[in-house]
Amino acid sequence: MIEDYSRDLVRAVLQEVLEALRRDIRAERLTGEALSRQLDALEPVLESKLRSRLQSSLRQAINATGVIIHTNVGRAPLSPQAAQAMVDAATGYSNLEYDFALGRRGHRDAHLEPVLCRLLGCQAATVANNNAAALLLILNTLALGRKVLVSRGELVEIGGSFRIPAIMERSGAVLKEVGTTNKTKLADYREAVDDQTALILRVHPSNYRIVGFTHRPQLEELTALAAEKKIPLVEDEGSGHLFPSSHSFLEEEPSVQTTLATGVDLVCFSGDKLLGGPQAGVIVGRKDLVDAVRSNPLMRACRVDKVRYAALAWTLACYETGRQEDHVPVHQMLSATADQIESRARRLACLIDPRTFRVLIRPGASLIGGGAAPEREIPTSLLAVTSAIYSVNEMERRLRQQELPILTRIEDEQLILDLRTVFPPQEEIIASAFSGMAAGH
Ligand SMILES: *Cc1c(COP(=O)(O)O)cnc(C)c1O
C-alpha cells in the first residue's frame, strides 16, 4: 500500500480508521466479537479508503428523469467527438494563442469568432466562462457607474445564486427598473432614458412565464428606441437556441439569429443549455461593443481554457454542417420521437422481473429544462414501475444509491423512468439494477 499510495497517505488514513475504532470502543459500541471482526477487516477497509481517496467524488450518473438540460446533473452531456476534441487539446500543446502561419502571437477567440459570425450573422464574438460571467462582463464594460434599464417583469432568478439585480450590483452598473411585473410598455422605457442611461437590457424569462393581463414591447420597438436614443440594446438570451431547428416545440422560442437580425446590439447565451456544448458564455454582436468587452481587464478573470474552446468549436462545426441532430446529444434527445422511446421502453420492460415489479408503458412528457421553453412538454413514453415488495420511495432511493446512480422521478405513486435522457447502452445497467433489487440486494 505504501508503494501504491505513499507512506504519508497510508499513515494518515490508517490513523483515521484506528481513531474511529477507538471512539467506538470508548463509547462501548462494540462487542468483543464485533471488534475482532473489525480488526480482521482492517486491511481491506484501509485499502478501499485509500482507493476512494484517489477517486474524484464527481462521477457519472444515469439521468432517467426525462429532463434534458438538468442543471443538478451537469446540464448538456457532450458527444464522444466533442470529448475527444477536449482530450486532444488537453494532452498536448496547440495554437491556442499562436498563429503558426505568421509565426507570431495570436488570439484564442480566433478559434471561435469566425464560425460564430458565419452561423449567427454577427460582426464579432467572444467567449467567457459562463453566461453569468458574460453578462457581468457586458455590464461592467458598458455600464460601470451608469444606469441599465430592465423591465420589472424580467428581474429573473435562474436557480441558486444567479439574480439579475445581484449581478447588476456587483458589475458596478446601476439598475433602473421600468414598468411593472406584468406590464411594461415602450413608453416606460422611453420615459426612463436619460443622459445617465448606459444601455437597455432585455432578459429572456427562461424559467417562468407571466400570463394573463400582460404586455412586453415588441423587440422591433425596443431596437428602434435604442437606435433613436443611441444606447445599446443588450439581450441575455440564456439558452442559446440557434436556428434552424426542426423541433416544433421550440417554434416560439426566440433564436439568437432572429434576435440579432432584429437589431439587438449584443446578445449573450450559455454554451451548455440548448446549444448542447460545454459550459461557456457566448457574447455576440456589434464589433465595437465586443471589442470593448474583450479588452476589459476582467475578461482575463472570466476567460475560457483551451479544453472548452475545443469542445465548443466542435459543437459549432456540427451546427455549421447541419449535423447537430446526429451528433449533439441534447439535439439527439430533443428529436427522438415518442414511438422510438416507446420501443426502447418496451425492450427494457421485458428485462425487468415481473414477479417483483409491475411495469406499465404509458404516454407522458419530457421537459427541456435548463430554463428553456419552461412550459413546453415533449411527448414521450414512460416506464411506470410499482412493486409489491418495495415502496416507490424505496425503489427511487435504491436506484439513486447504485454504484452508477440512476435518477428517476415519482409521479402518482409510481416510479417513472423516461428513456429520452438515457443513452441506449445504459439501459442494460438499469435492467441489472432492477435484477439486483429483485434478488434482494
Ligand atoms: C441560464 C441563464 C443564465 C446563467 O447562465 P450560466 O451559463 O448558468 O451562467 C443567465 N441568464 C439567463 C436568461 C439564463 O437562462
Side-chain angles (χ1 to χ4, degrees):
M1 283 186 217
I2 286 173
E3 241 167 55
D4 288 346
Y5 299 102
S6 91
R7 180 175 204 90
D8 286 348
L9 184 60
V10 172
R11 188 177 49 213
V13 175
L14 182 56
Q15 280 169 350
E16 272 171 33
V17 171
L18 290 179
E19 193 42 53
L21 207 51
R22 286 194 194 100
R23 260 197 314 272
D24 284 347
I25 294 168
R26 272 197 298 270
E28 295 179 4
R29 274 195 291 263
L30 290 173
T31 61
E33 198 188 324
L35 177 60
S36 69
R37 240 185 298 123
Q38 294 228 1
L39 287 171
D40 287 344
L42 213 49
E43 210 173 300
V45 165
L46 181 60
E47 174 104 52
S48 100
K49 282 196 185 296
L50 284 164
R51 224 178 304 119
S52 69
R53 272 294 175 93
L54 297 190
Q55 276 168 358
S56 167
S57 73
L58 182 67
R59 45 190 181 135
Q60 272 212 352
I62 295 176
N63 174 13
T65 63
V67 182
I68 297 174
I69 305 163
H70 195 314
T71 302
N72 298 352
V73 295
R75 286 202 197 160
L78 294 176
S79 65
Q81 296 97 319
Q84 186 57 49
M86 295 176 108
V87 170
D88 293 344
T91 52
Y93 297 103
S94 62
N95 62 345
L96 179 66
E97 287 191 358
Y98 198 80
D99 186 328
F100 289 145
L102 298 177
R104 64 173 193 223
R105 189 157 186 231
H107 197 280
R108 57 182 71 204
D109 276 344
H111 306 293
L112 288 174
E113 192 171 25
V115 63
L116 281 165
C117 291
R118 288 194 302 269
L119 264 175
L120 304 175
C122 55
Q123 295 174 354
T126 189
V127 180
N129 178 54
N130 57 11
N131 193 32
L135 190 60
L136 179 76
L137 282 166
I138 292 171
L139 294 171
N140 180 269
T141 307
L142 304 178
L144 186 61
R146 296 169 67 214
K147 287 187 209 165
V148 174
L149 310 190
V150 188
S151 161
R152 288 200 166 89
E154 297 173 9
L155 294 172
V156 180
E157 171 174 322
I158 314 276
S161 49
F162 181 88
R163 289 174 150 199
I164 293 289
I167 291 273
M168 187 83 72
E169 193 185 322
R170 288 302 171 118
S171 75
V174 181
L175 171 62
K176 170 75 182 142
E177 300 177 18
V178 301
T180 62
T181 304
N182 55 332
K183 280 205 174 203
T184 301
K185 304 188 184 115
L186 188 66
D188 297 323
Y189 285 99
R190 180 180 290 282
E191 279 157 25
V193 176
D194 61 18
D195 57 2
Q196 276 306 299
T197 307
L199 59 91
I200 299 176
L201 176 66
R202 267 218 346 166
V203 184
H204 182 47
S206 300
N207 47 10
Y208 66 99
R209 286 285 179 271
I210 297 176
V211 294
F213 189 56
T214 66
H215 185 79
R216 197 182 184 212
Q218 293 294 315
L219 194 52
E220 289 82 356
E221 298 176 305
L222 267 186
T223 56
L225 176 68
E228 176 197 325
K229 299 286 185 187
K230 296 195 170 50
I231 47 176
L233 175 63
V234 176
E235 169 127 352
D236 174 5
E237 198 271 346
S239 66
H241 175 219
L242 306 194
F243 209 71
S245 138
S246 59
H247 314 309
S248 55
F249 38 84
L250 288 178
E251 251 160 31
E252 287 156 43
E253 188 71 8
S255 76
V256 177
Q257 286 100 324
T258 44
T259 302
L260 285 166
T262 311
V264 174
D265 298 289
L266 217 49
V267 180
C268 62
F269 54 91
S270 293
D272 56 345
K273 290 185 181 170
L274 271 182
L275 187 74
Q279 179 188 303
V282 182
I283 302 171
V284 292
R286 246 169 63 189
K287 180 162 168 32
D288 58 329
L289 302 179
V290 172
D291 282 345
V293 170
R294 223 189 321 250
S295 45
N296 185 333
L298 276 182
M299 186 74 208
R300 180 61 187 249
C302 301
R303 74 180 184 182
V304 173
D305 76 316
K306 59 192 176 191
V307 174
R308 279 193 278 153
Y309 265 81
L312 195 52
W314 196 91
T315 307
L316 292 171
C318 286
Y319 279 90
E320 203 173 19
T321 51
R323 293 176 303 156
Q324 68 273 22
E325 282 174 30
D326 300 322
H327 293 298
V328 177
V330 164
H331 287 275
Q332 291 172 309
M333 290 173 183
L334 282 169
S335 54
T337 65
D339 285 346
Q340 288 166 337
I341 293 168
E342 183 177 335
S343 55
R344 288 173 57 193
R346 291 202 181 283
R347 234 177 304 133
L348 176 56
C350 292
L351 302 176
I352 297 176
D353 184 356
R355 284 164 305 181
T356 315
F357 303 102
R358 205 168 92 93
V359 185
L360 292 173
I361 308 289
R362 65 168 176 85
S366 314
L367 289 174
I368 299 177
E375 84 283 38
R376 204 69 76 229
E377 297 182 336
I378 313 169
T380 193
S381 183
L382 304 170
L383 288 128
V385 187
T386 50
S387 166
I389 296 174
Y390 297 108
S391 72
V392 174
N393 288 314
E394 180 67 10
M395 285 191 285
E396 187 276 336
R397 185 187 67 77
R398 282 177 178 246
L399 290 174
R400 178 163 44 78
Q401 293 180 350
Q402 294 282 314
E403 175 100 358
L404 182 58
I406 301 166
L407 292 186
T408 58
R409 38 185 237 252
I410 294 175
E411 237 173 64
D412 306 329
E413 313 278 304
Q414 295 171 321
L415 184 79
I416 302 292
L417 290 90
D418 183 346
L419 297 185
R420 182 180 296 281
T421 48
V422 173
F423 293 95
Q426 298 175 332
E427 287 164 17
E428 222 163 283
I429 301 170
I430 296 177
S432 65
F434 276 103
S435 305
M437 277 197 276
H441 46 74

